[in-house]
Amino acid sequence: MKLNLNIEPLSAWLTPKHQPLVIAGPCSAETEDQLLSTARLLADTGKISVLRAGIWKPRTRPGEFEGIGSVGLEWLKKAKAETGLPVTVEVANAKHVEEALAAGVDILWVGARSTVNPFTVQEIADALKGVDIPVMVKNPVNPDLQLWVGALERFNGAGITKLAAISRGFSSFEKSSFRNEPMWEITIQLKSLIPHLPVICDPSHICGNRELIPYISQKALDLEMNGLMIESHIDPSVAWTDAKQQVTPAALSDLIDHLTVRTPEAKNPAISDKLAELRKQIDKLDDQIIQKLAERMKIVEKIGEYKRDNDITILQLNRWDEVLEKRASFAKALNLDEEFTTKLLELIHGESIKKQTAIMNDKTVVE
């Protein structure tokens, strides 16, 4: 099901100076010289479309640097005047909104810690009623698509039509190479729900380190995201916040040069015809897979009925372990990813549980 939000296209409120669209600037505005020097170098690349800087920085624990505050808005005004770049800042309450608007900030963004709280989102949305300004909404800290969608709906309900989402990854208990897991599938679900919604990727917060930023940036573009938000500092080694994930303006320029911007559809008719042919093969196979799954579930139902009629419990761990081991080994031999295979089998197993649970009169069962 698609959500019918009233959203203007990105081209109606932002003209990229270069492809891909890049929003860049320091994680935090620290000093006037630091911000202005970084802004000048970024503007000189000719590849940055919007200048960003954190003015108010919500931190996990008190005592850490929580942003320079309102004085940073004056520095941003100077940076905007010198470079001609539009500027964007994060706002987390109505007072931030009021001060940012008074300072002539061009675009506002709502951070992950705010998106997770509907009360905070509504406060910001209420403060923006009657204001024609673009708002970018980061995904919530935790992988909750409905919170993300709800925040976008609240702003749209307040009359904000220049909306965009920012994919910045999600917290996870699993250890990995990333600060925040990309969980691309959630962003893809969002794009499917609201196809006309612009989506910007924030590789800096996904990666947590500058080494992985090129990889995630390219991946985001290949997933048809509309641009990137990358943190850049004149000297990341002395940055007051998130030093490891910031890059110098020169490094950012080089990174952008090595990105490949691809189009959703091929312009060459021969390529389009070949893709159409391959997609037909995929469609045929998908139909066969669904048909086989339906046949499998019919057998699952018969097993459930047999066990019910003969007072046999469905919990058989040895059987499940056997299925998982054999299918995973077979899939591996066919060069299928082990994690993908396991998730697929668990999904099928879960559906089998549901069907047999219904047959066994809502008793706790496992195939």
Side-chain angles (χ1 to χ4, degrees), residues 242-263:
D242 291 341
K244 293 181 180 180
Q245 68 188 40
Q246 300 193 64
V247 297
T248 64
L252 179 56
S253 178
D254 183 65
L255 185 159
I256 294 169
D257 286 342
H258 286 85
L259 293 174
T260 301
V261 180
R262 298 180 171 93
T263 57

Side-chain angles (χ1 to χ4, degrees), residues 54 115 121 137 139 226 238 250-251 264 355 358-359:
T115 306
V121 172
V137 182
N139 61 257
N226 301 87
V238 298
K355 287 190 173 295
I359 292 170

Side-chain angles (χ1 to χ4, degrees), residues 119-353:
F119 291 106
T120 298
V121 172
Q122 192 62 58
E123 177 186 344
I124 298 170
D126 289 343
L128 286 170
K129 284 184 178 178
V131 180
D132 182 23
I133 189 170
V135 176
M136 303 185 295
V137 182
K138 288 196 174 187
N139 61 257
V141 175
N142 299 317
D144 189 328
L145 177 62
Q146 293 307 309
L147 274 176
W148 203 0
V149 170
L152 291 161
E153 290 176 320
R154 290 177 189 277
F155 285 112
N156 204 222
I160 300 297
T161 58
K162 297 171 181 175
L163 268 176
I166 300 177
S167 177
R168 48 81 75 193
F170 302 85
S171 72
S172 171
F173 289 111
E174 296 181 9
K175 291 184 178 180
S176 79
S177 302
F178 302 110
R179 175 180 177 181
N180 295 291
E181 285 297 316
M183 298 189 189
W184 301 114
E185 65 275 13
I186 296 179
T187 302
I188 291 171
Q189 288 176 42
L190 179 70
K191 287 169 66 67
S192 297
L193 279 173
I194 319 173
H196 52 300
L197 174 72
V199 180
I200 308 296
C201 180
D202 179 351
S204 302
H205 279 87
I206 289 176
C207 298
N209 65 77
R210 62 183 65 89
E211 289 77 16
L212 288 171
I213 291 176
Y215 166 75
I216 290 295
S217 297
Q218 186 62 61
K219 178 74 173 180
L221 295 179
D222 290 345
L223 290 174
E224 207 180 342
M225 295 196 195
N226 301 87
L228 306 168
M229 177 185 274
I230 300 177
E231 293 183 348
S232 180
H233 191 291
I234 190 169
D235 184 358
S237 67
V238 298
W240 296 0
T241 54
D242 291 341
K244 293 181 180 180
Q245 68 188 40
Q246 300 193 64
V247 297
T248 64
L252 179 56
S253 178
D254 183 65
L255 185 159
I256 294 169
D257 286 342
H258 286 85
L259 293 174
T260 301
V261 180
R262 298 180 171 93
T263 57
E265 299 295 336
K267 296 180 180 179
N268 186 327
I271 296 175
S272 296
D273 290 345
K274 182 62 178 178
L275 284 173
E277 178 188 337
L278 293 171
R279 285 166 179 163
K280 283 183 180 178
Q281 295 178 33
I282 290 286
D283 290 344
K284 183 178 179 180
L285 288 169
D286 284 346
D287 289 343
Q288 292 174 355
I289 290 169
I290 292 172
Q291 181 180 341
K292 292 300 180 184
L293 284 173
E295 292 174 7
R296 186 189 191 281
M297 291 304 164
K298 290 293 184 183
I299 298 173
V300 165
E301 291 173 354
K302 289 181 180 179
I303 291 174
E305 292 168 357
Y306 185 79
K307 290 181 177 179
R308 178 198 61 199
D309 296 342
N310 291 278
D311 295 325
I312 300 173
T313 62
I314 296 179
L315 178 59
Q316 296 174 346
L317 291 178
N318 290 339
R319 166 61 179 165
W320 169 236
D321 290 341
E322 178 187 352
V323 169
L324 192 59
E325 182 179 353
K326 286 185 176 180
R327 302 298 184 273
S329 297
F330 181 50
K332 186 176 181 180
L334 295 175
N335 203 30
L336 286 174
D337 180 75
E338 184 176 353
E339 182 181 0
F340 164 75
T341 303
T342 300
K343 287 182 177 179
L344 177 61
L345 289 171
E346 288 175 347
L347 191 62
I348 295 172
H349 186 232
E351 183 62 21
S352 299
I353 291 173

